[in-house]
Amino acid sequence: MFKIIFLICFFLSSLFSQNITFLTHSTKDKVYIDESKEMRGLKHSGRRSFQVKLIREMMKLVAHKSKIIHDVPYKRGLLIVQREDNIAFFNMARRPHREDLVKWVGPLQVGESFFYTATKFPKIINSIEDSKKLKSICVLNGTSHDTFLVNNGFENIIRNNSYEGCFKMLVHGRVDVAMLSAISLHETLKAANISEDKVQKSFLAYSLDGYLAMSKNIDDSTIKTWQNALDKLKSDGTYDLLMLKYWQSK
């Protein structure tokens, strides 16, 4: 009897999940769209391709019928998942001020965010207060990096529409530092056609995990179903295998 009840609950949760629209961001040159108009990650293309593949594997486990994922600007996705029903948005940093704005599945990844300087134009940063004295800090518009700086009273923020843009400005001396998660450095520099010896890690700003954010109207049983799917992929080794095939470079 218990098994029957469990299967019914799982079926109902999966049925509800079919109405969820999936959004992501910053996938340029990391994914491709197949003949079914489904987004697929390109192998060995970094964090974004890995995340897309990971979400697709989770979709399989929860029997999510539609595999369509839409790319939107980060700031737009952030607003949509908070304001509209039945939305899932990834990757989104889980910060205290966002805790009750959405529901969370994850973490999809764990990472530390640093201030990076150009090797040609080094800057000494030993504290957050030191970084406030810089002329300019480049961040991707609307991200957790942007929010962190604003919430901590920074007035030297330069916003760009891509991390690659920030690092191009950095190595040409147009900004003092750029802010980025360490796990994304390699793929960002590769996309920007910048050799890694042209930048250097300067100061740890904070550590932050990335999540799949879901609209608050989605019931907790559905959230748990998606969380269980992610946990299974981590426990059976699939997560690590996807990291090797999609995140790691050749």
Side-chain angles (χ1 to χ4, degrees):
M1 178 62 71
F2 176 79
K3 184 176 181 180
I4 294 175
I5 293 174
F6 174 81
L7 290 174
I8 291 174
C9 291
F10 182 84
F11 172 76
L12 291 175
S13 177
S14 297
L15 183 63
F16 179 82
S17 74
Q18 305 310 314
N19 296 320
I20 299 174
T21 298
F22 277 75
L23 308 177
T24 189
H25 65 95
S26 308
T27 63
K28 183 179 178 181
D29 299 326
K30 310 298 181 183
V31 303
Y32 69 96
I33 305 300
D34 67 13
E35 63 278 2
S36 299
K37 298 184 179 180
E38 295 179 7
M39 182 184 292
R40 295 179 178 270
L42 291 168
K43 290 183 179 180
H44 307 294
S45 294
R47 175 173 55 154
R48 303 302 177 192
S49 59
F50 162 74
Q51 290 170 356
V52 169
K53 181 60 178 177
L54 178 63
I55 293 297
R56 287 180 61 87
E57 291 300 314
M58 291 166 65
M59 287 175 169
K60 290 180 184 178
L61 289 180
V62 303
H64 186 72
K65 189 173 182 179
S66 173
K67 303 298 189 296
I68 301 297
I69 301 172
H70 305 276
D71 186 294
V72 297
Y74 179 85
K75 206 165 185 178
R76 185 184 303 169
L78 193 65
L79 291 175
I80 292 174
V81 73
Q82 294 176 59
R83 296 178 179 178
E84 298 185 15
D85 290 344
N86 301 330
I87 300 294
F89 177 57
F90 67 98
N91 178 62
M92 181 170 161
R94 188 171 185 173
R95 299 185 61 83
H97 70 280
R98 293 175 178 168
E99 188 63 30
D100 297 325
L101 299 178
V102 297
K103 294 184 178 181
W104 303 93
V105 174
L108 302 180
Q109 64 180 63
V110 178
E112 297 177 319
S113 291
F114 288 86
F115 293 117
Y116 288 89
T117 68
T119 304
K120 188 177 180 180
F121 309 103
K123 300 291 184 296
I124 298 175
I125 306 172
N126 295 314
S127 66
I128 291 295
E129 291 306 313
D130 283 347
S131 60
K132 288 183 178 181
K133 298 174 185 177
L134 297 171
K135 183 178 179 181
S136 53
I137 299 174
C138 190
V139 296
L140 177 61
N141 185 32
T143 58
S144 59
H145 299 141
D146 191 349
T147 301
F148 172 83
L149 296 182
V150 171
N151 290 345
N152 283 277
F154 283 76
E155 297 180 353
N156 52 354
I157 306 170
I158 300 295
R159 295 176 174 88
N160 201 293
N161 291 325
S162 72
Y163 287 117
E164 292 88 346
C166 277
F167 277 81
K168 287 179 181 179
M169 295 177 70
L170 179 68
V171 298
H172 288 97
R174 294 167 57 193
V175 294
D176 287 340
V177 300
M179 199 171 179
L180 183 68
S181 172
I183 56 178
S184 299
L185 181 64
H186 177 76
E187 63 177 288
T188 298
L189 295 180
K190 183 178 180 181
N193 196 27
I194 297 172
S195 61
E196 296 196 19
D197 62 353
K198 290 188 176 181
V199 304
Q200 56 190 24
K201 189 183 295 180
S202 179
F203 182 75
L204 173 63
Y206 61 85
S207 298
L208 201 62
D209 298 344
Y211 282 74
L212 171 66
M214 289 187 158
S215 302
K216 290 194 70 176
N217 77 297
I218 298 174
D219 65 80
D220 290 342
S221 64
T222 300
I223 300 297
K224 186 175 181 179
T225 297
W226 284 93
Q227 184 65 56
N228 288 343
L230 176 60
D231 292 344
K232 183 180 186 304
L233 292 173
K234 289 182 176 181
S235 65
D236 68 11
T238 302
Y239 184 95
D240 292 335
L241 184 60
L242 295 179
M243 285 275 289
L244 288 173
K245 286 187 175 181
Y246 289 87
W247 194 322
Q248 301 298 328
S249 59
K250 293 181 180 180

